[in-house]
Every structure is written in structure tokens, then in C-alpha cells.
Amino acid sequence: MADATLEHAAVGHGAPGAYEAPLFGAYSKKVGMWLFLASDSLTFGALLFAFSYNRIYTDWPTPFHVASITNATIMTACLLSSSLTMVLGVFAAQRGDRAWTRNWLLATMAFGTAFIVLHGMEWTKLIGEGLALPGFPRPAGAATGELAEVSKNTPQFAATFFGLTAMHMLHVTIGVIYLGVVALRKLFLPILGAIWLAGFLLIPSDNVFHYGIHVLLIGLVLATVILFLKPKDYDAHDVEVSGLYWHFVDLVWMFIFPLVYLMSTRIS
Amino acid sequence: MATPVSVHAHAAPQGFIRKYIFSLDHKVIGIQYFFLALTAVFVGMFLSLLMRIHMIWPTAVLPIVGEIKPEQYLSLLTMHGTIMVFFVLTTAPQGGFGNYVLPIQIGAPDMAFPVLNMLSFWTTFVGFIVIIAAFFVTGGAPLHGWTGYPPLSAVQSAGPGEGLGADLWITSIAIFCIASLMGALNFITTTLDLRAKGMSLMRMPLTVWSWFITAILGLLAFGVLLSAGILLLLDRNMGTSFYVPLINVNGVMMGHKGGSPLLWQHLFWFFGHPEVYIAILPGMGVTSQVLSTFSRKPIFGYKAMVYAMLAIGFFGFMVWGHHMFMSGMSPYSAFAFSILTMCIGVPSAIKTFNWLGTMWKGHIRFDTPMLYAIGFVSLFVSGGLSGPFLAQPVLDIQLHDTYFVVGHFHLIMGVAAIFGIFAATYYWFPKMFGRMMNETWGRIHFFITLAGTYAIFMPMHYLGMAGQTRRYSQFTEVAYQTKLIPLQTFMTYAAIITIAAQFIFVINLFWSMFKGPKASDNPWEATTLEWTTTTPPPHDNFGGVTPVVHHGPYEYGVPGAPRDYVMQNDPATYAAH
Ligand code: HEM
Ligand SMILES: [Cu+2]
């Protein structure tokens, strides 16, 4: 089996001396993750370019107020704390402390989930106030007010806001599922399934997340496939690699928060 | 010969499905990619045949397809371009030959991530099915060309084919991006981490370098196209206006506002220019390998070749603006893009001279792979010389969107890359299928294809300067262009003959696969690692050993060596030369 081949071939997994020293002294999975992050930063880079391009050529509104900023600051704090717990998780894994690895990963997931929930509530509030894309389901009652005006006059504002933050939210969601698979393995599948079902049933159908929650269903299918096709115990390397991903997602937010929120705020 | 360092031998997977369909073996996956690209190239070629026929006989009623309408011409053009660029030129050289040969050439038992490798093939396959589906939905295939410029591509009602067909087109491209990203990641990791002992970077065959650099370009470019495509889908289906300004179609306001079509052009060409190098770099690698092997001489200036490819890759990301000289960019930006574009001419010229230097005073063997490699150099020069013209903003304003550009990029990107693929096919076929291809038919195929290519594409430069616009088929009705009809007719006949000649190739391919004479392990007397193992290679490439490398990749004619070539894993040292 080629997989068995890989076990021997992959640097750091046996057959020492048969290969040239890896160029960056890293084992394949870690190199792979770094490369993925390189390409992903260009994917985000393109979105940020689209954002800046629109911003430069448009009379950009600054409709956000204290409430939004407070909320986004709490979200930022969640992500920052999650990076700390992630680091602690990686340390625990390197010490071989399985219990604390799991605990710290669960804490990271909790912060990540808090971020997503806060973000979702923020979206819902903004959409209710009229900041929406034409393709979104319309909540009951026509919104009036500044955000509704902004959507009408500068469609780029809502488009870039939702485009960038949705892409980031998707990454955080993938991150939570990824950590869940590493920390809990098959135990995570029923939990994920339950969250999806509860979300789908509880979120009203005029809310975008009624549909958006299906990302979890896709994640559930993928996680199931991975966990059943290649059942394995995740080691310290796997935890470290998942940590790379998590910190990257955190880092991206550190660009989005000032660009999308702080720079679109009016202090009255 | 070699001092083998043994690892476990591995049993190959049993059962048809695990062995041939969802295989994890890079060799099987490479062959799958190859046949996918072969299918795609025939689809693309058939579309171009229809286009050429429509141009000179606009009202002809053809069997099966019927009469081609002007807007259908645009659908043919879009699908021709997209299929050729993505599913042929990006798929065969990298996915096909790169997958098959790269791990063997560096002495690895497989790719670093075999499962990812399988996934990237099947994702590409799905992308191909999705784009073909665009033909069969209401409205048919999109009209917006392979570059997909908005607003045409961003508004559903902008024309037939811009509905579901265009959605499928974008979806297919997005799927292709994801597949290519997975592939690129795998290629880079494999090259970094799985080189056999002694295979230092500067001992890697130039083919490996070219696949490696191509993968880096792909890794950085496809992510951008992915984002651009997602935004285009949002514009089309969620009512956003990233790319669409205030616009009305046939008197109906579209509800978009404030977007900029130029944003798409920036994002697209930031991907698009590196993409042309993704198509051509593997061809450069194969050409270097083949020229050296069949000239029985070391490649001239190995290090210069490596640095030239790195320079091409690096500059390739800084020249996208040369596709946008007509967009009203500031003359200062245009100047910068122009200078940077011409900078790429320098490493390109270095490569060309090194190829010529490799052949100079060599004992050249004119086997079919060699003919195609020489053909590659010829096409690369012919197409490359028009590049510096297009790089001048003042000239490009005249030539942009004329047949001059079509001639330029077909020679340098289109057919040159195809010649690289042909050279690779004739060269590695014995290793891949264990039999030799027929030489006589290979040569006949080569000479018809070479002559046909020049007959089709050279006149395009002239047509372009005479004012023939690109992406427009009704020139028989334009007074000043009717004088060009004889030339156009000639090109169409040339296209028919060249396309017919490709059947020589397929028949030769399939016939040789089953009936060709058995190939030895090293029929070309080449030096790189794929020729040290059996033909075809065992499941783990080297039968349970990992080769140890003692020599550079192109040691031909070494004084004191028993033969005129020294294999890379030959442990003996010979007098320096
Ligand atoms: C080496 C491989 C090369 C490839 C594969 C390649 C391919 C292409 C392609 C596909 C286009 C498409 C234009 C369109 O769609 O409108 C193009 C245009 C262009 N190429 Fe190249 N090219 C190569 C080398 C060069 C070189 C060496 C130069 C200049 C020194 C150059 C300069 C240009 C310019 C300026 C354009 C823009 C023309 C226009 O938009 O009107 N290219 N090339
Ligand atoms: Cu270009």
C-alpha cells in the first residue's frame, strides 16, 4: 500500500539515512500545512485586494458604532485567547500529556465557537438593520436607517463586509471541526451532528444561518470519511500542524478587524 | 551498481478499483491525468475545427452540430480556450508527466501525500465533467472567452450561455483551482522532503526543477483565481457588485452599481500570466532533458537554466499589467509593466541559447522525442519574438485583441507546450507502458504537425496587423477584410490537415501500447533515475531499495567512463571533465 510506503518514506518516520535532509528541516505534513497557508494567504490577499480596490475608488461610508466595535473587540479577545490555549495544547502534546492536550484543545474550540456565535449574532443584527446582500433572505419588516441607506448607496460596503467575514468565519468553522477531530476523534461526530441539527431547527428560516449551518453537515461528512477511512491516534505532530492552521486563521482576523471594522467606524 | 539502502518492499494493492481507478500510486495517477488531458485535447481540437470552418463557411450546415450561429462561435471559442489552457496545458505536463516521473527522478517511492494526489486527480476530473456539462444546459456554453471579463460574465441576462452555462464554467474553474492547489502542495513537499541520498538540489534533473517551480507558481496563482471566481459567483447569484458598474442590458437596469470590471482584470491576470508559465515551464524542462540526452552532451549551463527558470517564475508575478495596457492605466504603470515584461525576455533568451549550445557539436540522434524538443525551441523562438512587440504599450494599443496576439500566444504557449507534451510522450512512453512507439509514424506525425502549426499560426500575425479582430467570426461581411479570405481559407485547410494528422499520434499511441516492440530498461541510454529501474517500474519504483545518487543529471561523454553516459546512481567516480 502506498500509505505504508509513505510511513517509511516520509522524513522523520523511519528509514533514516535513505534521504537527503529535508530542505527546511521539517517533516512532510508540516511543510504541507505551511504551503497550504501560503496559498490561503493569497486567497485572502485577493479578497483584501478587492476590498481595498473598492474602498479606494468609492466614497466609503463609516456606519459602525460603539456597539459593533465592542462586540468585535470581544470576538478578537476570544481569538487571541484561543491562540494562547492552542500554544498550551501544543506544549502539552509535546510533553506527552494527553489529558491536558485534550483540555487545551477543547478550550481552543470553545473560544472559537464563541467567536462564531458572537459573529453570527452580529451578522443577524446588522442584517436586521438593513445591511444586506440582495441575495439574502429578507427578515420580516423593512429596515430603515443608516445601514439600509449604506446598502442602497454603496453596495460594495455590504458585499466586502460579508464576503471577507464569511470567508474568515468559514475558516474558523473548519478550524473548530479540525481540532474536534484531533481532540475527540469519533466521539466528536455525534456532537457535531447534534450541533448541526439543533442549529438548523432553531434558527428561523429568514436568517442566513438557517442555510449557512449546512457547512457543518459538509464538515460532518468529511470528518466521518476521514475518521473511518484512516482511523488513527493523533500525535504531537498532528497537534502542532493543526496549531499552525489555527494561528493563521487568528492572524487573518488581525487584518480583517482593523480594515473592516475599525476603519469603517465613526466616532461621534 | 548502486549501494542500495533497503526499506521494506511493499505489496501492490489488489483489485481493479484500488489498482486502476482510486489508485494511490503516482504512476497510475499520472497516466490517469494523461488520458484525461488526451480526451480534453481532442474535445478542444474539435471545437477549434468548428471555429475554423465557421469562419470561412459561415452558413454551412454541418452534420450533427447543424449551422453555427455567431453567438455559438463565441461559446466554441470560450470552451476551446478554457479546455485547452486548464485541462490540457495545465493537466498533462504537470499532473500527467510530473506525477509519473518526478518521484522516480528524485528516487522517492511515491508522492509525499498519496491520498491528496488521488483526490487532486478526481477533483480535476469532476471539474472537467462540470465544464463539459455547460454545453448541454439551456442557453449552452458561455460567451465570455477564457478570460471571463465582466460585465459580460457577471450578468445572467447578458447573452445566451451567460445563465447556467456561465455558472458551470466558473464552478469548474473553481474546482480546478482547488485540484491544482492540492497538486502543487504535493509536488513541492515531495521535492523538498523525499529526495534520495545524494540528490542535492543542484543534481536534480531540469525536469524536476521545472515541475517544482511550476508547482510554486500554481500554489501562489490558483488561490487568487479561486477568490476572483467566488466573487464572480457572488455577483451573478447574490446580487453583489464587485465587478459590475451601473449597467443596463437591452434597456433593463441590472440593479448593480459601483463595481469595477478592472478589478477582475487585475485578479485574473495576476493568476493569468503565471498560468502561461505553468503551461510552458514543464515543456522547458522536458526539452532540456531530451536535448541533452539525444545530443549525448551535458546540458549547456545547468545552473544558468535553473536560475533562468527561477527568474521567469519570479518576474512572472510582476507583469500582469501587460494584458491591461488598454484599460486606461497610467502611462507610468504601463512603462513599469513594459520594462518588467521585457526583463523576462532575458532569462528566456538565456534558455534558448543554452539549448542551442547543448546541441552544438553534439552527436545528435534524431529520434522522435528529439525532433519534438527541437520543434519546441523553434516554436518558442517564433512565438517569443513577438512578445517584446506586445510589451510596448504604444504597439499593444494597436495590436491588442487582434489576431497578432492570437498568433503570439498560440505559438509560444499553445503549440510550444503541446510540443513539450509530445516530446515527453515519445520519450517516457517506453518507461510508462513498457513498449516502444513506432518511429516512422512518429516522424511523419512530427513533420506534418510542425508544418501545419506554422501554416495555421504564422499568418495570424499578418491578419492581426491587417486589422482582423480577435473573438469575431463574421469577417466575411466586413469589406476591408474580404481580401484576406484566401489566406483564411488556407489556414482552415491547414487546420483540417493538422488535426487529421493527430490521429496518426493516437493510433500510434494505442497500437504501440499493445503491439509495440518491448522496451528495455534504458532505451535512450539516458542517465536519470527513472532509467535505472525496471520497465515499467515496480509499485514502489525501485523494488524495495532507495537509490543513492553520485552524479549530476546530465553526465554524457565523461572521459574515462566505460560508456558515453554515466547513470546518476553509478557509484564510480571518473576523471573530472
Ligand atoms: C514564455 C512563454 C510565454 C507565454 C506562454 C505567453 C503567453 C501569452 C498569452 C496566453 C497571452 C494572451 C493575450 C490575450 O489573451 O489577450 C500573452 C500576451 C502577451 N504576452 Fe506573452 N507569453 C510568453 C512570453 C512572453 C514574452 C517573452 C513576452 C515579452 C517579452 C510576452 C509579452 C506579452 C504581452 C505584452 C502580451 C499582451 C498582449 C495583449 O494583451 O495585447 N510574452 N502571452
Ligand atoms: Cu502575461
Side-chain angles (χ1 to χ4, degrees), chain B residues 4 12 93 96-97 174 195 219 300 313 344 421 440-441 509 524 547 558:
Chain B
F97 292 106
R195 280 169 295 121
L219 189 82
F300 187 89
I344 300 192
I421 298 173
T440 315
W441 285 110
L509 187 84
W524 311 121
V558 179

Side-chain angles (χ1 to χ4, degrees), chain B residues 335-409:
Chain B
F335 180 70
F337 279 125
S338 167
I339 295 285
L340 283 164
T341 302
M342 286 190 290
C343 285
I344 300 192
V346 177
S348 307
I350 292 177
K351 294 198 77 76
T352 308
F353 286 117
N354 283 355
W355 287 324
L356 299 180
T358 305
M359 284 188 280
W360 181 255
K361 291 189 173 165
H363 306 280
I364 299 183
R365 299 176 180 172
F366 288 103
D367 295 294
T368 317
M370 182 62 172
L371 294 179
Y372 271 102
I374 298 174
F376 177 96
V377 179
S378 161
L379 288 165
F380 185 72
V381 172
S382 313
L385 285 180
S386 54
F389 289 86
L390 291 168
Q392 309 301 323
V394 273
L395 289 180
D396 187 56
I397 283 171
Q398 171 70 24
L399 296 172
H400 183 78
D401 263 353
T402 68
Y403 259 70
F404 191 90
V405 173
V406 183
H408 161 70
F409 74 74

Side-chain angles (χ1 to χ4, degrees), chain A residues 1-2 5-6 8-9 11 15 17-20 22-23 26-28 35 39 42-43 46-47 53 134-136 152-153 155-156 159, chain B residues 7-8 10-11 109-110 112-113 189 192-199 219-220 223 227 238-239 241-242 257-260 262 546:
Chain A
M1 291 271 311
T5 315
L6 176 70
H8 296 284
V11 177
Y19 294 92
E20 284 284 289
L23 206 57
Y27 48 94
S28 303
L35 292 172
S39 83
L42 272 118
T43 309
L47 292 181
Y53 193 94
F136 280 173
K152 212 159 86 224
N153 298 333
Q156 272 63 31
Chain B
V7 294
H8 299 285
H10 309 288
D110 204 323
F113 308 112
T189 314
L192 291 182
D193 274 8
L194 291 184
R195 280 169 295 121
K197 199 88 206 138
M199 181 60 80
L219 189 82
L220 301 177
S227 279
M238 294 295 278
S241 312
F242 287 101
K257 180 175 163 182
S260 164
L262 289 185
T546 303

Side-chain angles (χ1 to χ4, degrees), chain B residues 407-469:
Chain B
H408 161 70
F409 74 74
H410 272 97
L411 285 181
I412 198 158
M413 171 171 81
V415 205
I418 295 276
F419 269 48
I421 298 173
F422 279 139
T425 311
Y426 285 102
Y427 183 68
W428 280 307
F429 182 90
K431 191 49 72 175
M432 293 164 81
F433 298 103
R435 290 170 188 274
M436 305 298 289
M437 282 180 84
N438 184 298
E439 270 298 314
T440 315
W441 285 110
R443 284 170 208 215
I444 294 172
H445 171 226
F446 168 75
F447 284 110
I448 300 179
T449 309
L450 185 77
T453 300
Y454 275 110
I456 304 167
F457 296 114
M458 267 304 181
M460 287 188 177
H461 298 85
Y462 176 73
L463 287 182
M465 287 188 281
Q468 164 95 22
T469 48

Side-chain angles (χ1 to χ4, degrees), chain B residues 515-559:
Chain B
K515 292 274 155 62
K518 282 252 189 276
S520 66
D521 286 352
N522 188 3
W524 311 121
E525 302 188 305
T527 52
T528 43
L529 290 181
E530 78 271 32
W531 306 109
T532 64
T533 182
T534 52
T535 285
H539 175 67
D540 66 354
N541 294 345
F542 297 98
V545 297
T546 303
V548 177
V549 176
H550 301 274
H551 296 275
Y554 302 114
E555 304 208 346
Y556 293 97
V558 179

Side-chain angles (χ1 to χ4, degrees), chain B residues 154-451:
Chain B
V155 179
Q156 302 253 9
S157 56
E162 289 305 321
L164 189 52
D167 279 323
L168 288 175
W169 181 86
I170 304 167
T171 311
S172 163
I173 303 266
I175 295 173
F176 190 88
C177 287
I178 294 170
S180 301
L181 287 173
M182 293 194 281
L185 198 150
N186 216 343
F187 275 76
I188 301 175
T189 314
T190 308
T191 315
L192 291 182
D193 274 8
L194 291 184
R195 280 169 295 121
K197 199 88 206 138
M199 181 60 80
S200 61
L201 287 181
M202 284 301 166
R203 275 188 186 161
M204 296 198 309
L206 287 171
T207 37
V208 173
W209 269 110
S210 72
W211 289 314
F212 177 59
I213 297 170
T214 303
I216 297 176
L217 296 191
L219 189 82
L220 301 177
F222 277 107
V224 172
L225 184 64
L226 181 62
S227 279
I230 292 172
L231 296 186
L232 192 56
L233 278 176
L234 288 179
D235 270 9
R236 298 172 50 81
N237 300 307
M238 294 295 278
T240 59
S241 312
F242 287 101
Y243 304 128
V244 199
L246 206 59
I247 186 179
N248 79 52
V249 175
N250 297 330
V252 183
M253 290 310 290
M254 285 293 109
H256 294 280
K257 180 175 163 182
S260 164
L262 289 185
L263 172 61
W264 169 267
Q265 296 193 15
H266 280 296
L267 294 176
F268 182 84
W269 286 116
F270 184 82
F271 148 80
H273 192 82
E275 164 64 27
V276 306
Y277 292 111
I278 291 173
I280 201 77
L281 276 170
M284 294 177 167
V286 171
T287 299
S288 310
Q289 170 97 5
V290 169
L291 286 181
S292 176
T293 308
F294 291 85
S295 305
R296 314 309 295 164
K297 272 185 65 194
I299 191 86
F300 187 89
Y302 172 88
K303 282 197 176 155
M305 290 303 232
V306 173
Y307 294 133
M309 280 197 280
L310 286 169
I312 288 176
F314 179 71
F315 282 116
F317 277 104
M318 301 197 287
V319 297
W320 78 93
H322 67 214
H323 299 271
M324 297 172 64
F325 288 147
M326 293 292 281
S327 68
M329 65 164 58
S330 109
Y332 299 107
S333 317
F335 180 70
F337 279 125
S338 167
I339 295 285
L340 283 164
T341 302
M342 286 190 290
C343 285
I344 300 192
V346 177
S348 307
I350 292 177
K351 294 198 77 76
T352 308
F353 286 117
N354 283 355
W355 287 324
L356 299 180
T358 305
M359 284 188 280
W360 181 255
K361 291 189 173 165
H363 306 280
I364 299 183
R365 299 176 180 172
F366 288 103
D367 295 294
T368 317
M370 182 62 172
L371 294 179
Y372 271 102
I374 298 174
F376 177 96
V377 179
S378 161
L379 288 165
F380 185 72
V381 172
S382 313
L385 285 180
S386 54
F389 289 86
L390 291 168
Q392 309 301 323
V394 273
L395 289 180
D396 187 56
I397 283 171
Q398 171 70 24
L399 296 172
H400 183 78
D401 263 353
T402 68
Y403 259 70
F404 191 90
V405 173
V406 183
H408 161 70
F409 74 74
H410 272 97
L411 285 181
I412 198 158
M413 171 171 81
V415 205
I418 295 276
F419 269 48
I421 298 173
F422 279 139
T425 311
Y426 285 102
Y427 183 68
W428 280 307
F429 182 90
K431 191 49 72 175
M432 293 164 81
F433 298 103
R435 290 170 188 274
M436 305 298 289
M437 282 180 84
N438 184 298
E439 270 298 314
T440 315
W441 285 110
R443 284 170 208 215
I444 294 172
H445 171 226
F446 168 75
F447 284 110
I448 300 179
T449 309
L450 185 77

